[in-house]
Amino acid sequence: NVTADASGRGLQFEGQNYGDFTGTARTNGQGVTYNVASNFGGSRIRVDGNTQLAAGYRTTADANISGLEIERLLVLLQRTNIPARGGLTATVHFAGTMDRPEGSLDATVDRGVFYDEPIDRVHARVTYTANGIDVPQLEIRAGNSSVEASAHYDHPAGVFASGDLQFRIASAHMDLSRIRNVQKWRPGMAGTVQIAANGAATVSGAEPRVLARDVHLNFAGKAIALQGKNFGDLTLTANTTGGQVNFALDSNLAGASIQGKGSAQLSGDYPVQAQMAFQHVTWKGLQPLLGSSGADHQDFDTAIDGQISVNGPVLRTAALNGRLQLSRL
């Protein structure tokens, strides 16, 4: 039997104190049992595990993490190019061998900021096996905006580049007035976006990397406004039947009437047939949304009615055909 103890005090990195750690390892027969505790970066970390000292190194280990500041961890990993902050709490379970690992993760990030976007809470549960990744729960909340989603990916053992993907966005409700990056793009934009979707796809190592097999989507933009002026609504639906996805668009944005419909085959190069009819599309209606500088002071306007049609393979754009017909200008 062998027993080893280790400890570190006042660990420094780039002049910052990252705390202390203690560790103990004991061998017993063909296995080694270990325990590690740390207050790394002001957090509390505990790891307990056992590894067999034989071929494959079969391991069972559990880790508990609370109060870990992501920003300090990224500094230590020298990945400060990733703009992320927040407090991480997680439990991790690992089991299996080096060539067939399995495990689970339950993680929460509170008071986060990702790519300059404040997020109140992110919660995810992930299970990993040699043949698949399951994400039964993903929740993102920021103010009165929220996203709830799940996903599952089956793949051959040791091969991540090909497999079968299924996903579901149970609900996504976003308040445009509270999304910082939207406000940078269009100051004063308001309204809500709601999304519900599910589908399945085949992932392969060749192009195209992702081939959709099943798609169901409901998208709605309600009371879209800019600087207090209401521009209307937009809805988009898509549903798959018999290997074909049928979609429809309806909008009254900027005082116009826009209706579209079409279908695409979920095979080959995705041949598509789509038509969109529009009436009373005006420059003064669209200009605030487009954000063209200076043109809002010009004393002119244009209005058009017409329709657009597109036919051909989506994955071979050189073979696509399109037609624009104006009935009023």
Side-chain angles (χ1 to χ4, degrees), residues 23-24 130 147-148 153 167 194 199 202 315 329:
T24 301
V147 176
E148 297 181 8
Y153 183 56
F167 71 91
Q194 295 179 314
T202 299
L315 298 183
L329 172 58

PDB file of all heavy atoms in Angstrom, residues 23-24 130 147-148 153 167 194 199 202 315 329:
ATOM      1  N   GLY A  23      -4.515  17.354  -1.549  1.00  0.00           N
ATOM      2  CA  GLY A  23      -4.836  16.118  -2.234  1.00  0.00           C
ATOM      3  C   GLY A  23      -4.249  14.929  -1.512  1.00  0.00           C
ATOM      4  O   GLY A  23      -3.168  15.001  -0.929  1.00  0.00           O
ATOM      5  N   THR A  24      -4.985  13.815  -1.556  1.00  0.00           N
ATOM      6  CA  THR A  24      -4.547  12.567  -0.938  1.00  0.00           C
ATOM      7  C   THR A  24      -4.813  11.427  -1.902  1.00  0.00           C
ATOM      8  O   THR A  24      -5.873  11.375  -2.537  1.00  0.00           O
ATOM      9  CB  THR A  24      -5.293  12.306   0.387  1.00  0.00           C
ATOM     10  OG1 THR A  24      -5.053  13.391   1.278  1.00  0.00           O
ATOM     11  CG2 THR A  24      -4.830  11.012   1.032  1.00  0.00           C
ATOM     12  N   ALA A 130     -20.234   6.376 -24.694  1.00  0.00           N
ATOM     13  CA  ALA A 130     -19.321   6.148 -25.811  1.00  0.00           C
ATOM     14  C   ALA A 130     -20.018   6.308 -27.148  1.00  0.00           C
ATOM     15  O   ALA A 130     -19.371   6.569 -28.174  1.00  0.00           O
ATOM     16  CB  ALA A 130     -18.705   4.747 -25.704  1.00  0.00           C
ATOM     17  N   VAL A 147     -35.239  30.715 -22.884  1.00  0.00           N
ATOM     18  CA  VAL A 147     -35.121  29.661 -23.890  1.00  0.00           C
ATOM     19  C   VAL A 147     -35.086  28.331 -23.152  1.00  0.00           C
ATOM     20  O   VAL A 147     -34.338  28.169 -22.177  1.00  0.00           O
ATOM     21  CB  VAL A 147     -33.850  29.810 -24.756  1.00  0.00           C
ATOM     22  CG1 VAL A 147     -33.724  28.645 -25.724  1.00  0.00           C
ATOM     23  CG2 VAL A 147     -33.857  31.129 -25.511  1.00  0.00           C
ATOM     24  N   GLU A 148     -35.895  27.373 -23.608  1.00  0.00           N
ATOM     25  CA  GLU A 148     -35.874  26.014 -23.080  1.00  0.00           C
ATOM     26  C   GLU A 148     -35.704  25.061 -24.244  1.00  0.00           C
ATOM     27  O   GLU A 148     -36.497  25.085 -25.194  1.00  0.00           O
ATOM     28  CB  GLU A 148     -37.170  25.703 -22.320  1.00  0.00           C
ATOM     29  CG  GLU A 148     -37.392  26.586 -21.095  1.00  0.00           C
ATOM     30  CD  GLU A 148     -38.674  26.238 -20.359  1.00  0.00           C
ATOM     31  OE1 GLU A 148     -39.297  25.214 -20.711  1.00  0.00           O
ATOM     32  OE2 GLU A 148     -39.045  26.984 -19.446  1.00  0.00           O
ATOM     33  N   TYR A 153     -27.661  13.306 -29.536  1.00  0.00           N
ATOM     34  CA  TYR A 153     -26.790  13.001 -30.668  1.00  0.00           C
ATOM     35  C   TYR A 153     -26.226  11.597 -30.505  1.00  0.00           C
ATOM     36  O   TYR A 153     -25.508  11.314 -29.542  1.00  0.00           O
ATOM     37  CB  TYR A 153     -25.653  14.018 -30.736  1.00  0.00           C
ATOM     38  CG  TYR A 153     -24.714  13.838 -31.911  1.00  0.00           C
ATOM     39  CD1 TYR A 153     -25.200  13.835 -33.218  1.00  0.00           C
ATOM     40  CD2 TYR A 153     -23.349  13.688 -31.719  1.00  0.00           C
ATOM     41  CE1 TYR A 153     -24.345  13.687 -34.295  1.00  0.00           C
ATOM     42  CE2 TYR A 153     -22.485  13.537 -32.793  1.00  0.00           C
ATOM     43  CZ  TYR A 153     -22.988  13.539 -34.081  1.00  0.00           C
ATOM     44  OH  TYR A 153     -22.143  13.383 -35.153  1.00  0.00           O
ATOM     45  N   PHE A 167     -33.229  17.518 -32.074  1.00  0.00           N
ATOM     46  CA  PHE A 167     -33.256  18.712 -31.232  1.00  0.00           C
ATOM     47  C   PHE A 167     -34.695  19.175 -31.023  1.00  0.00           C
ATOM     48  O   PHE A 167     -35.598  18.853 -31.803  1.00  0.00           O
ATOM     49  CB  PHE A 167     -32.442  19.849 -31.870  1.00  0.00           C
ATOM     50  CG  PHE A 167     -33.087  20.440 -33.092  1.00  0.00           C
ATOM     51  CD1 PHE A 167     -33.942  21.523 -32.994  1.00  0.00           C
ATOM     52  CD2 PHE A 167     -32.861  19.890 -34.349  1.00  0.00           C
ATOM     53  CE1 PHE A 167     -34.553  22.061 -34.108  1.00  0.00           C
ATOM     54  CE2 PHE A 167     -33.468  20.420 -35.475  1.00  0.00           C
ATOM     55  CZ  PHE A 167     -34.308  21.513 -35.351  1.00  0.00           C
ATOM     56  N   GLN A 194     -40.970  34.857 -30.585  1.00  0.00           N
ATOM     57  CA  GLN A 194     -41.282  33.565 -29.983  1.00  0.00           C
ATOM     58  C   GLN A 194     -40.958  32.460 -30.981  1.00  0.00           C
ATOM     59  O   GLN A 194     -41.325  32.561 -32.161  1.00  0.00           O
ATOM     60  CB  GLN A 194     -42.746  33.496 -29.559  1.00  0.00           C
ATOM     61  CG  GLN A 194     -43.096  34.469 -28.442  1.00  0.00           C
ATOM     62  CD  GLN A 194     -44.560  34.400 -28.054  1.00  0.00           C
ATOM     63  OE1 GLN A 194     -45.437  34.386 -28.904  1.00  0.00           O
ATOM     64  NE2 GLN A 194     -44.814  34.353 -26.754  1.00  0.00           N
ATOM     65  N   GLY A 199     -36.734  18.910 -34.675  1.00  0.00           N
ATOM     66  CA  GLY A 199     -36.318  18.315 -35.937  1.00  0.00           C
ATOM     67  C   GLY A 199     -35.262  17.250 -35.747  1.00  0.00           C
ATOM     68  O   GLY A 199     -34.850  16.942 -34.623  1.00  0.00           O
ATOM     69  N   THR A 202     -29.049  14.269 -40.133  1.00  0.00           N
ATOM     70  CA  THR A 202     -27.928  13.337 -40.223  1.00  0.00           C
ATOM     71  C   THR A 202     -26.651  14.147 -40.388  1.00  0.00           C
ATOM     72  O   THR A 202     -26.580  15.025 -41.250  1.00  0.00           O
ATOM     73  CB  THR A 202     -28.098  12.378 -41.407  1.00  0.00           C
ATOM     74  OG1 THR A 202     -29.292  11.614 -41.223  1.00  0.00           O
ATOM     75  CG2 THR A 202     -26.912  11.433 -41.516  1.00  0.00           C
ATOM     76  N   LEU A 315     -28.713  23.530 -52.560  1.00  0.00           N
ATOM     77  CA  LEU A 315     -27.286  23.275 -52.350  1.00  0.00           C
ATOM     78  C   LEU A 315     -26.451  23.504 -53.600  1.00  0.00           C
ATOM     79  O   LEU A 315     -25.224  23.387 -53.542  1.00  0.00           O
ATOM     80  CB  LEU A 315     -27.082  21.839 -51.848  1.00  0.00           C
ATOM     81  CG  LEU A 315     -27.726  21.509 -50.503  1.00  0.00           C
ATOM     82  CD1 LEU A 315     -27.386  20.094 -50.078  1.00  0.00           C
ATOM     83  CD2 LEU A 315     -27.308  22.503 -49.430  1.00  0.00           C
ATOM     84  N   LEU A 329     -45.312  50.120 -59.675  1.00  0.00           N
ATOM     85  CA  LEU A 329     -44.115  50.804 -59.225  1.00  0.00           C
ATOM     86  C   LEU A 329     -44.411  52.295 -59.268  1.00  0.00           C
ATOM     87  O   LEU A 329     -44.720  52.825 -60.342  1.00  0.00           O
ATOM     88  CB  LEU A 329     -42.916  50.503 -60.125  1.00  0.00           C
ATOM     89  CG  LEU A 329     -41.656  51.290 -59.877  1.00  0.00           C
ATOM     90  CD1 LEU A 329     -41.150  51.124 -58.453  1.00  0.00           C
ATOM     91  CD2 LEU A 329     -40.559  50.907 -60.883  1.00  0.00           C
TER      92      LEU A 329
END
